[in-house]
Coordinates of all heavy atoms in Angstrom, one line a residue:
K10 N -149.1 125.3 162.7 CA -148.8 125.6 164.2 C -148.8 127.1 164.5 O -148.4 127.5 165.6 CB -147.5 124.9 164.6 CG -147.5 123.5 164.5 CD -148.5 122.9 165.5 CE -148.4 121.4 165.5 NZ -149.4 120.8 166.4
G11 N -149.2 127.9 163.5 CA -149.3 129.3 163.8 C -148.0 130.2 163.4 O -148.0 131.4 163.7
G12 N -147.1 129.6 162.8 CA -145.9 130.3 162.4 C -146.1 131.1 161.1 O -146.9 130.7 160.2
A13 N -145.4 132.2 161.0 CA -145.3 132.9 159.7 C -144.2 132.4 158.9 O -143.0 132.4 159.4 CB -145.2 134.5 160.0
V14 N -144.4 132.0 157.7 CA -143.4 131.4 156.9 C -143.0 132.2 155.6 O -143.9 132.7 155.0 CB -143.9 129.9 156.5 CG1 -142.8 129.3 155.6 CG2 -144.1 129.1 157.7
M15 N -141.8 132.3 155.4 CA -141.3 132.9 154.1 C -140.5 131.8 153.4 O -139.7 131.2 154.0 CB -140.5 134.1 154.4 CG -141.2 135.3 155.1 SD -140.0 136.7 155.3 CE -138.9 136.0 156.6
E16 N -140.7 131.7 152.1 CA -140.0 130.7 151.3 C -139.2 131.4 150.2 O -139.6 132.5 149.7 CB -140.9 129.7 150.6 CG -141.7 128.9 151.7 CD -142.6 127.8 151.1 OE1 -142.0 126.8 150.5 OE2 -143.8 128.0 151.0
A17 N -138.0 130.9 149.9 CA -137.2 131.4 148.9 C -136.7 130.4 147.9 O -136.5 129.3 148.4 CB -135.9 132.1 149.6
G18 N -136.5 130.8 146.7 CA -136.1 129.9 145.6 C -134.6 129.6 145.6 O -134.2 128.7 144.9
S19 N -133.8 130.3 146.3 CA -132.4 130.2 146.3 C -131.8 130.8 147.6 O -132.5 131.5 148.4 CB -131.7 130.9 145.1 OG -131.8 132.3 145.3
A20 N -130.6 130.4 147.9 CA -129.8 130.9 149.1 C -129.8 132.4 149.0 O -130.0 133.1 150.0 CB -128.5 130.2 149.3
E21 N -129.5 133.0 147.8 CA -129.3 134.4 147.7 C -130.7 135.1 147.9 O -130.7 136.2 148.6 CB -128.8 134.7 146.3 CG -127.3 134.3 146.1 CD -127.2 132.9 145.8 OE1 -128.2 132.1 145.5 OE2 -126.0 132.4 145.7
A22 N -131.8 134.5 147.4 CA -133.1 135.1 147.7 C -133.5 135.0 149.2 O -134.0 136.0 149.7 CB -134.1 134.4 146.8
A23 N -133.1 134.0 149.8 CA -133.3 133.8 151.2 C -132.6 134.9 152.1 O -133.1 135.5 152.9 CB -132.9 132.4 151.7
L24 N -131.3 135.1 151.6 CA -130.5 136.1 152.3 C -131.1 137.5 152.1 O -131.1 138.3 153.1 CB -129.1 136.0 151.8 CG -128.0 136.7 152.6 CD1 -128.1 136.3 154.0 CD2 -126.7 136.4 152.0
D25 N -131.7 137.8 150.9 CA -132.4 139.0 150.7 C -133.5 139.2 151.6 O -133.8 140.2 152.2 CB -132.8 139.2 149.3 CG -131.6 139.4 148.3 OD1 -130.5 139.9 148.7 OD2 -131.8 139.2 147.1
L26 N -134.4 138.1 151.8 CA -135.4 138.1 152.7 C -135.0 138.5 154.1 O -135.6 139.2 154.9 CB -136.2 136.8 152.7 CG -137.2 136.6 151.5 CD1 -137.6 135.2 151.5 CD2 -138.3 137.6 151.5
L27 N -133.9 137.8 154.6 CA -133.4 137.9 155.9 C -132.9 139.4 156.1 O -133.1 139.9 157.2 CB -132.3 137.0 156.2 CG -132.7 135.5 156.3 CD1 -131.4 134.6 156.2 CD2 -133.5 135.3 157.5
R28 N -132.4 140.0 155.1 CA -131.9 141.3 155.2 C -133.1 142.4 155.4 O -133.0 143.3 156.0 CB -131.0 141.8 154.0 CG -129.7 141.2 154.0 CD -128.9 141.8 152.8 NE -127.6 141.1 152.7 CZ -127.3 140.3 151.7 NH1 -128.1 140.1 150.7 NH2 -126.1 139.8 151.7
D29 N -134.2 142.0 154.7 CA -135.4 142.9 154.5 C -136.3 142.8 155.8 O -137.1 143.6 155.9 CB -136.1 142.7 153.3 CG -135.4 143.1 152.0 OD1 -134.3 143.8 152.2 OD2 -135.7 142.6 151.0
Q30 N -136.2 141.7 156.5 CA -137.1 141.5 157.6 C -136.6 141.9 158.9 O -135.5 141.7 159.2 CB -137.5 140.0 157.7 CG -138.1 139.5 156.4 CD -139.5 140.1 156.1 OE1 -140.3 140.3 157.0 NE2 -139.6 140.6 154.9

Side-chain angles (χ1 to χ4, degrees):
K10 294 294 182 182
V14 175
M15 296 180 292
E16 296 182 73
S19 69
E21 292 80 7
L24 199 51
D25 287 341
L26 283 173
L27 291 169
R28 285 186 188 113
D29 292 342
Q30 299 300 313

